[in-house]
Amino acid sequence: MGRGEIEHLYPVMVERRRYLHRHPELSYQEQATSAYIADVLNKAGIEHKTQVGGHGVVGIIKGSRPGPVVALRADMDALPIQDEKEVEYKSEVPGIMHACGHDGHTAVLLGVAEYFAARREQIQGEIRLLFQPAEEVCPGGALPMIKDGALDGVDVVYGVHLWTPIPVGTAASAPGPMMASTDEFFVNIHGRGGHGGMPHKTVDSVVVGSAMVMQLQSIVSRSVNPLDPAVVTIGSFQAGTVQNVIAERARLAGTVRCFSETARKLIQKRIASVVEFTAQSYEAEVVLEYIPGYPTLVNDETETNRFFKVAGQLEGLKTELTPPIMPAEDFAYYLQQVPGCFILVGAGNPEKGAEYPHHHPKFDLDEEAMAHAAAILISLTENYMDEWEPK
């Protein structure tokens, strides 16, 4: 694969990414995005299935010779965030935007699809293109796609994430645990409301919730092994409506991030204890809803080494070993089924406005990163097929 072939794909990837950026759809609602993907695959003469695991699309490119099945994955859903960028491709849907780069992932995989569709005679085996819905919201779209057969017969799986925390021209990964597991919890507190001037007649749900927040923050610092990374975050505290009424009800919502199942189970147990006994101490009632989410993303060592070998030879790209990071990814489910590697492709560039964090209202990416992402996926696929030997 030459640099010129990627340069040929690049303008179309940019055009498609900007179209998708203008027309974002939330998790589990990606009907138009799915139809757009299917239309591109149709025009490229690529066999495909729709409604896989919901709004998922699976493209199938079979080569002229027997060989392995290589799966490549892109997610397609957006977020409930108002786009505050002033660019010509700004989201046209109020309150919804691609604030994580999934539009770029989809555009990249469509470009890769067309690259291989034009080279069927050179393909040894099959390339499976996984366009996945609903990555942003648990339980996610990966498991339903797997249950619908998206990984049947697959030998290896690769995925990329355009990543603004690292600069464009850099790609990073790591063998073993690379991204954290994620769980969600919701705490509904029922106290006894009343007049703000007579607190002794009430059970103040705000005070109860505040005590819980502070106690929950001690779980990681005092119960989890300090050598085992973990996070407990309370992202939402809702209670009351006016200044002189003691709120009868309050609701906390939080997330848990871990790298080991030991810490994950311990934290779940400790959250339940903290919530229950704090409520009891204030004579409040409480209901805890704890929702297990994505598991830890664990890269295969052999396939991660392949990434460093292959990507290190690509023009204009350097590789680095990433430390474990606390964001989660349902790509982890694919890696539980087959060997593979998930890669962070640098998309940060302050000179182009690509300096805001993921999930920020002004999030954007340096679109040059898409060329690097495509080159990585193509090169990994070709290298795996070249080195494949029948069992």
Side-chain angles (χ1 to χ4, degrees):
M1 178 194 64
R3 178 73 178 177
E5 292 164 316
I6 293 296
E7 290 177 351
H8 176 72
L9 292 172
Y10 178 67
V12 180
M13 287 192 291
V14 170
E15 179 183 344
R16 288 175 178 153
R17 182 254 167 171
R18 293 186 178 189
Y19 173 84
L20 293 169
H21 200 86
R22 289 194 297 268
H23 303 91
E25 293 180 297
L26 294 175
S27 306
Y28 305 104
Q29 300 176 25
E30 309 94 341
Q31 297 98 323
T33 304
S34 177
Y36 177 85
I37 292 166
D39 183 60
V40 173
L41 297 180
N42 250 335
K43 290 175 179 176
I46 297 172
E47 176 188 351
H48 60 277
K49 301 175 183 178
T50 58
Q51 300 301 306
V52 181
H55 297 301
V57 180
V58 175
I60 301 166
I61 303 175
K62 294 181 179 179
S64 60
R65 294 171 291 157
V69 180
V70 178
L72 307 175
R73 178 271 208 166
D75 39 18
M76 64 170 83
D77 52 330
L79 286 154
I81 299 172
Q82 178 63 41
D83 195 348
E84 295 181 1
K85 295 189 303 299
E86 294 303 326
V87 293
E88 60 89 12
Y89 50 88
K90 181 177 180 177
S91 171
E92 296 176 7
V93 184
I96 303 176
M97 72 171 288
H98 275 289
C100 203
H102 296 187
D103 50 344
H105 303 167
T106 299
V108 165
L109 193 55
L110 288 172
V112 171
E114 290 175 328
Y115 172 90
F116 282 118
R119 294 164 176 79
R120 283 187 174 88
E121 294 302 314
Q122 302 169 28
I123 296 174
Q124 178 186 1
E126 177 188 322
I127 297 167
R128 191 88 51 85
L129 308 157
L130 311 181
F131 295 91
Q132 182 204 303
E135 188 278 331
E136 294 288 1
V137 179
C138 292
L143 276 179
M145 289 194 72
I146 292 169
K147 290 176 182 177
D148 275 0
L151 283 186
D152 290 357
V154 168
D155 293 284
V156 69
V157 61
Y158 302 116
V160 295
H161 201 305
L162 302 173
W163 198 243
T164 58
I166 57 178
V168 67
T170 303
S173 192
M178 189 182 94
M179 300 181 75
S181 64
T182 179
D183 300 326
E184 301 172 349
F185 63 93
F186 304 88
V187 182
N188 291 293
I189 303 162
H190 189 184
R192 187 168 62 250
H195 196 290
M198 294 187 289
H200 60 295
K201 299 286 188 179
T202 73
V203 175
D204 191 339
S205 67
V206 172
V207 172
V208 178
S210 298
M212 286 182 184
V213 170
M214 298 308 296
Q215 291 299 318
L216 289 169
Q217 295 309 305
S218 71
I219 292 176
V220 171
S221 66
R222 288 298 175 265
S223 297
V224 178
N225 185 332
L227 299 179
D228 193 351
V231 170
V232 175
T233 292
I234 307 299
S236 174
F237 187 158
Q238 300 173 347
T241 56
V242 293
Q243 82 285 356
N244 63 344
V245 176
I246 290 176
E248 183 162 315
R249 299 178 184 272
R251 178 175 168 88
L252 308 178
T255 183
V256 176
R257 308 294 171 115
C258 302
F259 279 93
S260 76
E261 284 302 309
T262 299
R264 195 178 185 187
K265 292 175 182 177
L266 172 63
I267 290 173
Q268 181 177 359
K269 181 179 177 181
R270 290 288 293 119
I271 286 175
S273 296
V274 165
V275 166
E276 178 184 354
F277 291 115
T278 303
Q280 285 181 7
S281 69
Y282 287 93
E283 299 182 348
E285 297 178 2
V286 67
V287 176
L288 169 65
E289 182 183 8
Y290 198 96
I291 304 172
Y294 305 156
T296 304
L297 185 148
V298 183
N299 278 330
D300 179 80
E301 183 173 0
T302 298
E303 296 312 318
T304 306
N305 289 338
R306 187 187 308 276
F307 155 71
F308 282 110
K309 177 183 71 174
V310 168
Q313 299 173 357
L314 294 174
E315 183 181 346
L317 188 67
K318 67 175 183 178
T319 61
E320 62 183 31
L321 188 69
T322 181
I325 58 175
M326 284 298 176
E329 246 287 348
D330 72 347
F331 191 83
Y333 289 121
Y334 299 115
L335 292 173
Q336 288 183 335
Q337 302 297 316
V338 296
C341 184
F342 193 66
I343 300 137
L344 304 175
V345 180
N349 187 348
E351 294 181 0
K352 294 184 178 180
E355 57 184 329
Y356 294 94
H358 292 250
H359 297 203
H360 189 280
K362 292 186 178 180
F363 174 84
D364 206 354
L365 50 86
D366 186 338
E367 291 169 326
E368 290 285 344
M370 294 192 295
H372 296 304
I376 290 169
L377 290 176
I378 291 169
S379 298
L380 281 170
T381 301
E382 291 178 340
N383 183 266
Y384 187 91
M385 288 182 165
D386 288 343
E387 295 187 357
W388 176 79
E389 295 181 359
K391 296 180 182 179

